[in-house]
């Protein structure tokens, strides 16, 4: 995050992780730092959303455990659309368990995350064992998708009263630093790691709770605009209901894409 003022093409060259490199390249090619969070509950709507909004996004974020008919066709559809529209897939699974359990939840299991999700997020509530366990899986010589998978640590949350603050958030940074071959950054509301900058590290910051029209919802979600998220250090902005639940999702996606990209250009030229 200490490199957040550099343009994406430079960060792509310097970044040691192939997934981060790819993501910066995609963002630059498409002029988009937008992540659509498609919290849709059936495969047809999910895939339709990925196809119609695909041209405007860098990343398509899923919650496949809310997709009632999730299965092979969902996976195949997502993979095909990610190639067609050149976006990465981020499963917002928020893994949070002991190492032995998350290894089975990530690689195999009913969701088969390692097969199709370029990025998955996790929470370090249980300490750094989860990070070591997932790092082991994706760096093993037998792993079928070498250098194609990465993780984000959920370092802060947008919900009112979140307990992920202060020393907990700081600990997330310490833990990420231990596993650079798998941990590429954070889901957070601002740039992290700048208090003790390390010039060689470049954590990607994904900021959620982004909405142009609303201050929050009835269940304690809190929102900010694309511009304020990027000013605070977001590299990628995650928008969900602000886009897919609007009257015209394609127009909304274009609007969020333009706002996010303009804020990125302003930050990198400042
Ligand atoms: O824009 P919304 O409020 O419709 O949706 C926000 C999306 C949802 C949440 O599960 C997710 O972002 N989210 C996350 C993530 C991405 O991990 C963290 C957080 O702190 N707040 C949050 O809303 O899919």
């Amino acid at each position: 995050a200490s490199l957040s003022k550099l343009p994406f093409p430079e960060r792509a060259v310097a970044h040691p992780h192939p997934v981060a490199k790819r993501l910066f390249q995609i963002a630059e090619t498409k002029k988009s730092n937008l992540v659509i969070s498609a919290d849709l509950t059936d495969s047809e709507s999910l895939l339709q959303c990925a196809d119609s909004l695909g041209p405007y996004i860098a990343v398509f974020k899923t919650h496949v455990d809310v997709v009632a008919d999730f299965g092979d066709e969902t996976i195949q559809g997502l993979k095909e659309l990610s190639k067609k529209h050149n976006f990465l897939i981020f499963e917002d699974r928020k893994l949070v368990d002991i190492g032995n359990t998350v290894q089975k939840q990530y690689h195999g299991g009913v969701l088969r995350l390692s097969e199709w999700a370029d990025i998955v997020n996790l929470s370090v509530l249980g300490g750094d064992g989860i990070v070591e366990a997932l790092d082991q899986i994706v760096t093993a010589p037998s792993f079928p998708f070498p250098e194609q998978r990465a993780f984000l640590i959920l370092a802060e949350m947008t919900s009112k009263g979140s307990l992920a603050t202060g020393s907990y958030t700081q600990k997330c940074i310490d833990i990420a630093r231990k596993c650079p071959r798998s941990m590429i950054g954070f889901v957070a509301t601002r740039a992290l790691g700048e208090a003790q900058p390390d010039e060689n590290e470049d954590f990607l910051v994904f900021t959620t709770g982004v909405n142009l029209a609303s201050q929050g919802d009835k269940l304690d979600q809190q929102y900010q605009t694309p511009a304020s998220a990027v000013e605070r250090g977001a590299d990628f902005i995650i928008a969900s209901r602000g886009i897919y639940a609007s009257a015209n999702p394609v127009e909304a996606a274009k609007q969020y894409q333009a706002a996010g990209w303009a804020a990125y250009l302003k930050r990198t030229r400042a």
Side-chain angles (χ1 to χ4, degrees):
S2 44
L3 302 179
S4 66
K5 288 206 159 65
L6 286 184
F8 287 166
E10 285 178 41
R11 291 172 73 182
V13 171
H15 207 289
H17 202 290
V19 172
K21 278 185 192 296
R22 247 185 92 202
L23 183 49
F24 286 135
Q25 285 158 357
I26 290 174
E28 179 64 23
T29 305
K30 298 174 81 173
K31 308 282 182 242
S32 177
N33 57 359
L34 178 62
V35 182
I36 171 84
S37 165
D39 300 346
L40 298 159
T41 54
D42 66 276
S43 297
E44 197 187 336
S45 315
L46 184 75
L47 297 177
Q48 200 272 328
C49 178
D51 203 14
S52 59
L53 305 186
Y56 315 106
I57 60 172
V59 179
F60 188 71
K61 182 173 89 61
T62 55
H63 273 302
V64 291
D65 57 358
V66 307
V67 178
D69 60 347
F70 175 78
D72 264 343
E73 285 177 23
T74 329
I75 296 177
Q76 282 318 316
L78 285 172
K79 281 182 165 170
E80 280 162 25
L81 291 167
S82 81
K83 280 205 194 95
K84 175 177 172 190
H85 296 297
N86 192 27
F87 58 69
L88 295 189
I89 308 172
F90 166 14
E91 164 56 27
D92 188 2
R93 175 62 182 77
K94 301 186 177 73
L95 295 161
V96 57
D97 212 315
I98 60 165
N100 185 258
T101 301
V102 296
Q103 285 185 335
K104 292 186 243 177
Q105 289 172 321
Y106 175 70
H107 192 48
V110 71
L111 301 181
R112 294 152 46 197
L113 301 177
S114 65
E115 269 181 47
W116 55 271
D118 302 291
I119 299 172
V120 175
N121 57 357
L122 62 96
S123 164
V124 295
L125 187 67
D128 54 11
I130 183 171
V131 164
E132 280 161 29
L134 293 168
D135 188 79
Q136 255 176 34
I137 295 271
V138 299
T139 59
S142 59
F143 184 63
F145 314 99
E147 308 207 308
Q148 295 169 51
R149 300 291 181 256
F151 299 92
L152 297 171
I153 298 180
L154 188 58
E156 290 180 324
M157 288 201 69
T158 56
S159 33
K160 232 173 267 173
S162 164
L163 305 179
T165 59
S167 59
Y168 179 88
T169 302
Q170 180 55 44
K171 193 79 185 147
C172 292
I173 305 166
D174 300 341
I175 291 175
R177 284 182 172 143
K178 288 190 200 161
C179 291
R181 289 176 70 194
S182 51
M183 303 295 135
I184 58 168
F186 307 102
V187 175
T189 63
R190 62 200 160 95
L192 296 180
E194 290 178 335
Q196 305 151 292
D198 169 344
E199 278 168 22
N200 297 317
E201 81 188 2
D202 185 10
F203 290 126
L204 281 64
V205 175
F206 283 62
T207 297
T208 179
V210 171
N211 196 308
L212 280 165
S214 170
Q215 298 295 308
D217 69 11
K218 293 190 182 110
L219 295 171
D220 283 354
Q221 174 71 303
Q222 305 173 112
Y223 287 131
Q224 58 177 329
T225 63
S228 85
V230 173
E231 275 161 28
R232 286 164 58 91
D235 297 310
F236 293 90
I237 53 167
I238 304 176
S240 186
R241 283 168 288 182
I243 296 180
Y244 78 76
S246 82
N248 187 336
V250 167
E251 281 313 309
K254 289 184 187 169
Q255 201 186 355
Y256 281 71
Q257 175 193 5
W261 196 253
Y264 152 77
L265 289 178
K266 191 172 160 203
R267 185 178 82 196
T268 50
R269 283 172 187 161

